[in-house]
Amino acid sequence: LVRAPQAPRGRCRGALPLPRGASLPRRGGAAGPSAGQVRAAFLRFFEERHGHRRLPSAPVRPRGDPRLLFVNAGMNQFKPIFLGTVHPRSELAQHRRVVNSQKCVRAGGKHNDLDDVGRDTYHHTFFEMLGNWSFGDYFKEEACSMAWELLTEVYEIPRDRLYVTYFGGDASLGLSADEECRDVWLRLGVPASHVLPFPLKDNFWEMGDTGPCGPCTEIHYDHVGGGRNAAALVNQGNPDVVEIWNLVFMQYSREVEGNLLPLPQHHVDTGMGLERLVTVLQNKRSNYDTDLFTPILDAIHKGCRAPRYQGLVGDADVGRVNMAYRVVADHVRTLCVCITDGIYPGFTGAELVLRRILRRAVRFCSEVLQAPPGLLASLVPTVVEVLGDAYPELTRNANQDIINDNEAAFLSSLERGRRIIERTVQQMEPSTNFPAEVAWSLYGSLGFPLDLIDLMLEEKGISLDSAAFNELALEDAKRKAGGLQAGQPGNTNTHLDVHSLAWLQRSNVPATDDSPKYAYRLGQHGQYEFSPCQATILMLYRDQSLHKEVGAGQRCGVILDRTNFYAEQGGQDSDQGYMIRLGQQDVLFPVESVRLCGGYVIHEVTAVEALRAGDQVQLFVDEAQRLACMTNHTATHLLNFALRRVLGDSTEQRGSHVTAERLRFDFDTKGHVTVEQLQQVEQVVQDLIQKNEVVHMAEVPLTQARRVQGLRAVDEGYPDPVRIVSLGVPVENVLTCDSEAAMQTSVELCCGTHLLQTGSVEDLAIISERQLVKGISRVIAVTGGQAKEAREVGQCLATEVDSVSLRMKQRITSIPEMQNLSKEVGQLTKVVANAAMPQWQRKELQTILKALQRTANTAVKKLELQQAEKAAQILLAKYSNQPIIIDTVPADSLSILMKVVNQLCDKSPGTSVLLLSPQASGEVLCACQVSKNCVPTFSAADWAVAVCTQMEGKAGGSPIVAKGSGNARGMQGALTTALEFHGNPCSRTVPCFVLR
Ligand code: SER
């Protein structure tokens, strides 16, 4: 066991000096500044001393990047800037210098630390990355000098403890060493012995397989110091010498073919792990010994039976306990942050990774720390205390229920998994490996951790067939990756690459004027009239390059000077339609999809004839599709408002998708939405539709818009100026300082296309509502004619349910009749479950149908019993206490026949009975029961099999009771067989009565 050594005491600082003489509260003594103070000093240094704009952390759920599981670096949210695809008017594009503290999760995917977490004292799944950025502004000189100033003057880290690395070049890529960077460090006074070149793998940063990248320079810290030269330990995985800051100089873009092209603009992207920095500044040797973790470790100790955390690493029992503390402390931070940002434990992608993280934490809680269930969730308030100031969203959204529910589910599947392993092992041939398929199914479907499977098998002295297991894992990974190949954007004709974008901008090709998308009005008869739009082709895009001409038959992206097409944005699907090239002969080109990229709207078409820059085109959107999208989008705003009205002000939007067919809306809920609440929500929407409120839309400066009280906005990068959509209240009224309009009506930031009056929605029906996870619900709703249709369907089904219910209440004495009713209820239940009908009505009908099914089942059972009792009484009277009865009786079903047999044997325990019952269909049912006295020599199953075989049928059962069936043609023979049943000593020695 090793205790992570402490740094020499002499070097402790009490606090951090802030820029311009501002003072930082002292924590005193050797403790050093708190993590909060370290974070704040970083942000203020760049903001106040170097003119950076402070931005909040992006949520850890990546937006618009399907290749990323979690946000794993500060630069993720700025990728559109590096790629040049950012809209010039968007909020993001307004800043050239930015600073922030970003929540990052590295687990699964390219940067995967999950399995290392807990083993050592510095790996984490969640960490905070402090970063400063220059977007086409300063470069190497200033970036290095600011970093040096902050570390040595503000944080007062002794210079001789710091080492810097730079890119040493790569001959295979034709890249020379980054001497520019080396010289900057030397100029800043870093001794040459502390300025070290490293190859591509250490000093060239790439975000993914393709995209912006460049050489980087890292700053490393020597925890030991004392005048030694630790240059040889840099980048050697030595815990004494750790990287604290990475400064990336984005100057290339890695292309799909693997080559590097210079970027049109140079950027700086830096990232410093807060946890490591705090460790340095608090004179600790382990991140877990800093105040980012100690409160959580203390809370774990209070909730478990294990001894206190001692900071030990190693494999012995006590080391494992310490590892468990670290695993739980790390994982609960990740869980809190992810759940807050809308990633929940689940079955695919990031959600699957989160599920594994949760399960790993639960295991360490229960198995190593011996904590009762609930410990993990109980740590949430402590995490919120530690991180809530920096990330206020945690105080609103951290959810203990999700953790508790998942823990309970996991503990029960753990038990199931254990049983499956036990059973499989019992059935295994000696000296064979544990079957990979079983392990894979435990791992894949039950989420049983692989290391736990290994451990349990090891305890039994068995190994897993690892080769076969890996093959299954590989196949699965291939299947999952099937759709999208890394580095291959879904559609290369509408995704402008960074070079084409830069070329367009350099050549002063103006961004597409897409204001005509809002050019529509209400006609005299209340119909929407859309104006066509005439435009000029500016450029064509195909196979990742811009063209002046594209030949016939080729698919391409068309960039126009103006357009009335809506490109997919803000959850609303893009328009479809067509463009007509004007000329001697007009030619029609269908527009299949539309995308917005860096301010340019790209229309994807197949060039039925050659297209050229300069061609004039007339654009027509598919009006029916557009109108349906507009209706559903306005209805989404009505719904958002109504949900808040009915469920409370804290009901926040979590996601939205508008198509021509339906709208989908995710939101926070405290519990299940009840039938009454669903009805009320629909009613609030109906009222707004009835009022036929005007939908006011206007563009306003973003800062002014954000000040509106009660405004609904999601965490999107809105353009500036931004569009406000307000129902019933003119936008200028909403904007006045004291206006509470946004509290009373729906006011949203939204770039979508909307109806002009709410009456055009006509109707809205919520046709589905379910909890995605605890605390988040998803509704799907339809509007207009579809909503009316849904109500009609609901009405029809309600009438059918009424009719069954009425018939059920009539006195029914026939079993088949009651069975038919029960079948009808079953079928109706299926129809109701799947019909597009109002959800509140579905829930109501489902409650009624459930009760009807129960009534029908009870009635059938009662009638069957009555019939059986009657038949049994007749037979008993006829044979009174005979040892064997073989007879034919009328019975409507096999279950009744079994009941008759059972009644007979109950009342006459010494009797064995075999009954046949011919049915109208030509089938003969058979049931038998053997008296306990005869069981040792006489099996009911054998008896039934012998009899049914005679009737060309089948039978089965136990030695005591059995049943089967056959064909009426063999019935006479079957009765004889029943009587003469071989191997039945009873049948030979006792008298037997057969009724024909
Ligand atoms: N992108 C770099 C990193 O993640 C610097 O921020 O290390």
Side-chain angles (χ1 to χ4, degrees):
L1 287 182
V2 187
R3 166 93 196 143
Q6 293 297 308
R9 286 276 143 194
R11 206 184 51 71
C12 303
R13 291 163 305 282
L16 301 172
L18 270 182
R20 299 205 189 98
S23 68
L24 194 70
R26 285 176 176 265
R27 292 179 78 223
S34 72
Q37 290 167 335
V38 175
R39 193 192 293 110
F42 181 93
L43 297 170
R44 291 185 60 183
F45 171 79
F46 283 102
E47 195 178 21
E48 296 178 6
R49 205 179 279 190
H50 293 287
H52 286 59
R53 172 66 183 251
R54 184 193 295 205
L55 291 184
S57 168
V60 288
R61 174 192 274 284
R63 229 190 5 240
D65 193 342
R67 287 170 207 97
L68 212 53
L69 287 172
F70 302 95
V71 162
N72 63 6
M75 52 79 63
N76 291 160
Q77 66 166 318
F78 305 117
K79 198 170 148 188
I81 300 185
F82 298 131
L83 290 170
T85 56
V86 66
H87 194 293
R89 282 203 299 126
S90 104
E91 251 173 319
L92 264 190
Q94 308 313 312
H95 316 295
R96 311 247 294 163
R97 294 178 174 211
V98 162
V99 61
N100 83 351
S101 167
Q102 173 64 48
K103 299 174 283 184
C104 298
V105 174
R106 286 191 184 171
K110 185 168 152 76
H111 303 279
N112 188 359
D113 291 344
L114 180 55
D115 294 334
D116 293 325
V117 173
R119 286 186 204 289
D120 55 37
T121 58
Y122 49 86
H123 273 101
H124 303 292
T125 52
F126 167 74
F127 64 97
E128 295 175 69
M129 193 181 263
L130 303 168
N132 59 295
W133 284 270
S134 150
F135 303 128
D137 190 12
Y138 61 79
F139 206 41
K140 298 182 187 179
E141 178 90 40
E142 296 89 331
C144 295
S145 125
M146 287 177 204
W148 196 248
E149 181 188 348
L150 176 68
L151 294 180
T152 59
E153 290 174 26
V154 177
Y155 291 137
E156 292 182 327
I157 298 178
R159 288 171 167 74
D160 62 351
R161 298 275 188 119
L162 296 173
Y163 295 79
V164 295
T165 65
Y166 66 96
F167 176 51
D170 187 281
S172 66
L173 285 172
L175 295 176
S176 50
D178 190 358
E179 284 166 5
E180 184 190 353
C181 172
R182 181 200 60 195
D183 293 347
V184 171
W185 287 122
L186 294 174
R187 273 200 300 281
L188 285 167
V190 185
S193 58
H194 285 221
V195 183
L196 315 164
F198 277 92
L200 193 91
K201 98 175 168 19
D202 299 300
N203 276 70
F204 196 89
W205 203 85
E206 304 203 41
M207 180 172 52
D209 298 331
T210 58
C213 54
C216 60
T217 179
E218 291 177 348
I219 305 174
H220 293 247
Y221 175 79
D222 176 17
H223 274 284
V224 175
R228 71 170 181 168
N229 187 323
L233 301 178
V234 170
N235 273 337
Q236 298 306 311
N238 186 316
D240 289 338
V241 182
V242 292
E243 175 212 327
I244 52 172
W245 204 345
N246 185 13
L247 283 59
V248 182
F249 307 121
M250 298 282 190
Q251 58 188 95
Y252 301 105
S253 122
R254 170 83 73 180
E255 302 297 301
V256 181
E257 300 79 31
N259 53 325
L260 294 172
L261 288 181
L263 277 178
Q265 265 196 323
H266 288 175
H267 311 286
V268 173
D269 151 26
T270 88
M272 173 150 63
L274 175 73
E275 295 73 9
R276 287 190 186 178
L277 178 64
V278 172
T279 304
V280 168
L281 299 180
Q282 291 184 356
N283 294 307
K284 305 288 187 206
R285 291 300 297 280
S286 152
N287 296 353
Y288 291 90
D289 290 339
T290 68
D291 62 343
L292 286 167
F293 288 92
T294 45
I296 307 174
L297 295 167
D298 288 345
I300 297 173
H301 179 244
K302 281 198 195 107
C304 74
R305 284 196 284 273
R308 212 165 243 299
Y309 177 69
Q310 297 162 274
L312 301 170
V313 288
D315 287 332
D317 284 353
V318 59
R320 214 167 142 66
V321 167
N322 280 263
M323 171 176 171
Y325 267 101
R326 287 187 291 269
V327 168
V328 175
D330 171 273
H331 288 10
V332 74
R333 284 169 23 117
T334 307
L335 284 162
C336 277
V337 167
C338 286
I339 291 170
T340 292
D341 286 348
I343 303 176
Y344 310 105
F347 297 93
T348 52
E351 312 217 310
L352 177 64
V353 176
L354 198 65
R355 188 165 90 130
R356 296 220 168 108
I357 289 175
L358 186 138
R359 294 181 161 208
R360 190 165 186 255
V362 168
R363 271 189 51 218
F364 277 98
C365 278
S366 69
E367 288 169 18
V368 185
L369 298 174
Q370 295 174 10
L375 171 65
L376 200 56
S378 77
L379 304 173
V380 170
T382 313
V383 175
V384 173
E385 225 166 82
V386 174
L387 295 174
D389 280 348
Y391 311 104
E393 59 276 19
L394 278 167
T395 53
R396 292 191 301 270
N397 293 341
N399 184 324
Q400 285 169 277
D401 289 347
I402 293 178
I403 297 180
N404 271 334
D405 288 358
N406 275 278
E407 178 179 74
F410 177 50
L411 290 175
S412 100
S413 63
L414 212 56
E415 202 32 57
R416 261 188 297 156
R418 279 205 181 99
R419 283 201 301 269
I420 292 175
I421 291 184
E422 292 292 342
R423 257 205 322 272
T424 313
V425 169
Q426 273 166 20
Q427 288 161 8
M428 277 169 55
E429 300 285 329
S431 357
T432 50
N433 282 337
F434 191 81
E437 297 75 26
V438 179
W440 179 252
S441 98
L442 283 169
Y443 176 73
S445 4
L446 275 185
F448 209 75
L450 192 55
D451 56 348
L452 186 60
I453 301 176
D454 274 338
L455 197 75
M456 291 177 68
L457 294 180
E458 204 180 290
E459 281 164 9
K460 295 179 188 304
I462 292 171
S463 334
L464 172 65
D465 185 346
S466 308
F469 183 90
N470 289 342
E471 229 162 77
L472 290 173
L474 200 69
E475 268 170 33
D476 185 65
K478 274 193 204 149
R479 223 180 16 254
K480 284 187 181 136
L484 196 64
Q485 295 297 316
Q488 296 281 352
N491 180 343
T492 48
N493 291 327
T494 53
H495 284 70
L496 288 177
D497 66 298
V498 65
H499 309 292
S500 304
L501 270 164
W503 188 90
L504 288 169
Q505 279 151 5
R506 256 200 329 269
S507 317
N508 289 326
V509 175
T512 314
D513 168 15
D514 61 352
S515 56
K517 70 186 176 196
Y518 298 125
Y520 48 86
R521 60 191 184 97
L522 271 176
Q524 270 184 350
H525 307 291
Q527 80 283 16
Y528 279 80
E529 291 172 353
F530 295 86
S531 319
C533 168
Q534 192 157 326
T536 307
I537 296 183
L538 297 183
M539 202 50 76
L540 298 151
Y541 186 67
R542 181 177 155 68
D543 290 341
Q544 292 196 298
S545 49
L546 293 161
H547 302 267
K548 289 256 180 221
E549 182 174 342
V550 162
Q554 297 188 317
R555 277 166 89 81
C556 63
V558 180
I559 301 170
L560 300 167
D561 60 343
R562 58 203 302 268
T563 185
N564 55 352
F565 275 74
Y566 184 83
E568 184 193 334
Q569 257 181 104
Q572 179 181 329
D573 265 6
S574 81
D575 282 340
Q576 289 164 4
Y578 56 92
M579 58 175 73
I580 290 182
R581 192 188 50 209
L582 307 172
Q584 283 174 341
Q585 211 184 354
D586 293 348
V587 185
L588 185 146
F589 299 81
V591 176
E592 289 153 36
S593 69
V594 191
R595 221 176 155 265
L596 183 67
C597 204
Y600 298 101
V601 179
I602 333 279
H603 307 69
E604 198 191 20
V605 304
T606 301
V608 283
E609 278 193 10
L611 278 171
R612 286 176 197 87
D615 283 352
Q616 298 287 307
V617 290
Q618 183 110 21
L619 303 167
F620 298 88
V621 297
D622 176 337
E623 293 179 3
Q625 192 235 4
R626 158 66 87 82
L627 187 57
C629 280
M630 283 167 45
T631 308
N632 287 342
H633 205 152
T634 303
T636 303
H637 286 211
L638 301 183
L639 182 71
N640 190 353
F641 175 77
L643 284 166
R644 200 168 20 132
R645 241 313 119 85
V646 174
L647 303 176
D649 260 351
S650 60
T651 310
E652 288 286 345
Q653 167 173 345
R654 286 304 193 99
S656 154
H657 186 208
V658 174
T659 69
E661 290 76 35
R662 53 114 184 97
L663 62 99
R664 194 183 74 200
F665 193 79
D666 300 343
F667 57 98
D668 303 300
T669 38
K670 296 259 166 339
H672 277 288
V673 186
T674 64
V675 169
E676 292 71 30
Q677 286 169 330
L678 284 169
Q679 277 176 305
Q680 285 164 14
V681 169
E682 281 191 3
Q683 192 53 55
V684 174
V685 174
Q686 296 292 349
D687 292 347
L688 286 167
I689 293 173
Q690 287 307 315
K691 280 196 198 152
N692 199 17
E693 301 277 22
V694 173
V695 181
H696 296 275
M697 291 169 266
E699 281 199 340
V700 298
L702 190 56
T703 40
Q704 205 183 345
R706 288 224 188 258
R707 283 201 292 266
V708 174
Q709 283 185 54
L711 175 96
R712 296 269 125 177
V714 284
D715 57 345
E716 294 207 338
Y718 289 102
D720 193 7
V722 69
R723 207 167 158 82
I724 287 192
V725 179
S726 158
L727 302 185
V729 182
V731 172
E732 53 279 20
N733 296 5
V734 169
L735 292 176
T736 55
C737 301
D738 53 348
S739 167
E740 291 205 343
M743 313 294 263
Q744 311 305 329
T745 184
S746 154
V747 181
E748 296 198 25
L749 293 190
C750 179
C751 58
T753 53
H754 282 272
L755 298 173
L756 301 173
Q757 292 192 304
T758 57
S760 310
V761 175
E762 290 177 22
D763 194 0
L764 174 137
I766 297 173
I767 56 166
S768 147
E769 182 275 329
R770 69 185 172 95
Q771 286 217 325
L772 287 182
V773 289
K774 198 159 186 174
I776 307 286
S777 278
R778 165 168 291 179
V779 295
I780 292 176
V782 289
T783 54
Q786 274 177 289
K788 288 200 170 53
E789 221 168 273
R791 291 193 197 291
E792 276 163 24
V793 170
Q795 265 322 308
C796 280
L797 289 172
T799 314
E800 284 189 42
V801 172
D802 272 355
S803 142
V804 185
S805 164
L806 208 70
R807 280 179 282 146
M808 190 94 68
K809 281 191 191 118
Q810 290 160 359
R811 248 179 68 79
I812 295 177
T813 48
S814 131
I815 295 174
E817 213 179 323
M818 192 45 99
Q819 277 171 331
N820 281 343
L821 269 184
S822 161
K823 221 186 264 170
E824 212 178 308
V825 171
Q827 282 162 354
L828 211 46
T829 304
K830 275 194 199 137
V831 176
V832 165
N834 298 313
M837 64 186 288
Q839 179 69 7
W840 63 263
Q841 197 170 21
R842 185 192 331 277
K843 287 191 173 186
E844 258 184 17
L845 294 186
Q846 279 172 332
T847 312
I848 301 173
L849 285 166
K850 232 186 217 164
L852 288 179
Q853 193 67 71
R854 267 198 307 271
T855 313
N857 291 348
T858 321
V860 168
K861 272 197 196 120
K862 204 167 138 198
L863 288 169
E864 283 184 350
L865 205 64
Q866 281 170 359
Q867 202 183 85
E869 272 171 1
K870 220 157 115 192
Q873 263 166 16
I874 296 172
L875 289 169
L876 269 176
K878 195 184 277 174
Y879 298 110
S880 97
N881 285 333
Q882 294 303 330
I884 286 200
I885 299 173
I886 296 170
D887 203 346
T888 59
V889 290
D892 286 339
S893 68
L894 193 54
S895 93
I896 300 176
L897 196 64
M898 293 287 289
K899 284 194 178 82
V900 181
V901 168
N902 195 254
Q903 294 264 330
L904 273 173
C905 293
D906 253 14
K907 300 217 161 88
S908 171
T911 307
S912 298
V913 184
L914 185 141
L915 298 178
L916 298 182
S917 175
Q919 303 290 298
S921 62
E923 190 188 22
V924 177
L925 307 176
C926 165
C928 66
Q929 184 163 340
V930 170
S931 153
K932 287 206 177 77
N933 308 338
C934 298
V935 166
T937 48
F938 181 23
S939 156
D942 293 347
W943 200 11
V945 168
V947 168
C948 292
T949 310
Q950 270 297 321
M951 301 190 289
E952 296 162 3
K954 280 190 178 147
S958 71
I960 300 176
V961 287
K963 59 188 175 183
S965 66
N967 200 303
R969 284 194 306 276
M971 197 169 84
Q972 287 309 322
L975 285 166
T976 316
T977 305
L979 183 61
E980 294 169 347
F981 179 57
H982 290 299
N984 169 16
C986 301
S987 68
R988 275 180 251 123
T989 52
V990 295
C992 202
F993 294 86
V994 181
L995 189 84
R996 300 270 151 90

